[in-house]
Amino acid sequence: MAAAPNVKGVSTNIRTLVLLRHAKSDYPDGVDDHERPLAARGIREAGLAGDWLRTHLTPLDAVLCSTATRTRQTLERARIDAPVHYADRLYDATPGMVIDEINMVARRFDHPVDTLLVIGHEPAMSHVALGLAAVEVSNREAATGIATKFPTSALAVLRTEQGWDRLALGGAALVTFHVPR
């Protein structure tokens, strides 16, 4: 996506949004869904997701994370070093709720956020990725992968010229989709 020309009131900043589905969780007896921890495979794959992020992207400026135990543990195991806002709304969220949380980034953090990580759940993560992706500028192979399955620990990377507060459906380019294994 090319940078916008310098026009008053138009940002020339390219923002990066990373949508990460939590790592593989366990299903212990008697444990509420919100409190389910990561499985051994999830612990390993969360670390791989963090390694991929550090290798392929500029450092993250901020993280929005569901309050579920498995999302918190995914963040911890990914070894992400960025300010975090835990949002109850990201647990069992609709795609619209996730986008609303993204739109409120400037209110959640007291510094500029150019690269944002959102850690959440399915089916919201895949719906948000595909909903934000403008067809004409997005990676079709990545979109097909997401539409087929957005497995645990998977990452969708989107880029946009929109401010977080104005990001809406069709407002980004889907750049890549990666499943760390």
Side-chain angles (χ1 to χ4, degrees):
M1 202 176 218
N6 265 335
V7 177
K8 188 174 181 178
V10 175
S11 171
T12 58
N13 289 340
I14 302 295
R15 288 171 187 77
T16 301
L17 173 64
V18 182
L19 302 172
L20 169 61
R21 181 179 178 193
H22 63 78
K24 179 72 176 162
S25 59
D26 202 356
Y27 293 86
D29 290 336
V31 175
D32 180 63
D33 182 73
H34 189 272
E35 305 310 316
R36 287 191 298 121
L38 292 182
R41 183 180 114 194
I43 291 168
R44 182 179 66 78
E45 291 174 356
L48 293 173
D51 291 345
W52 188 89
L53 286 167
R54 282 183 292 285
T55 300
H56 292 89
L57 296 177
T58 59
L60 299 168
D61 296 313
V63 179
L64 294 175
C65 185
S66 160
T67 57
T69 299
R70 59 192 176 273
T71 53
R72 288 173 176 263
Q73 289 179 342
T74 298
L75 176 61
E76 176 186 332
R77 294 297 181 159
R79 299 178 318 278
I80 301 300
D81 184 23
V84 181
H85 174 77
Y86 294 98
D88 287 328
R89 291 182 65 198
L90 292 177
Y91 175 74
D92 201 25
T94 65
M97 293 164 86
V98 175
I99 294 170
D100 284 347
E101 285 297 318
I102 294 167
N103 291 159
M104 292 189 285
V105 162
R107 290 183 239 165
R108 305 284 192 226
F109 301 97
D110 62 359
H111 63 277
V113 176
D114 290 325
T115 305
L116 174 67
L117 171 65
V118 178
I119 305 175
H121 309 267
E122 268 297 281
M125 293 291 97
S126 61
H127 290 194
V128 170
L130 294 174
L132 290 175
V135 175
E136 63 279 359
V137 294
S138 290
N139 177 326
R140 289 187 181 149
E141 185 179 330
T144 299
I146 291 169
T148 302
K149 184 175 184 182
F150 200 110
T152 53
S153 299
L155 301 126
V157 179
L158 298 103
R159 297 244 162 82
T160 184
E161 295 176 7
Q162 297 296 315
W164 297 122
D165 61 335
R166 294 183 310 280
L167 185 60
L169 297 177
L174 175 61
V175 176
T176 194
F177 178 60
H178 177 71
V179 181
R181 296 284 187 254

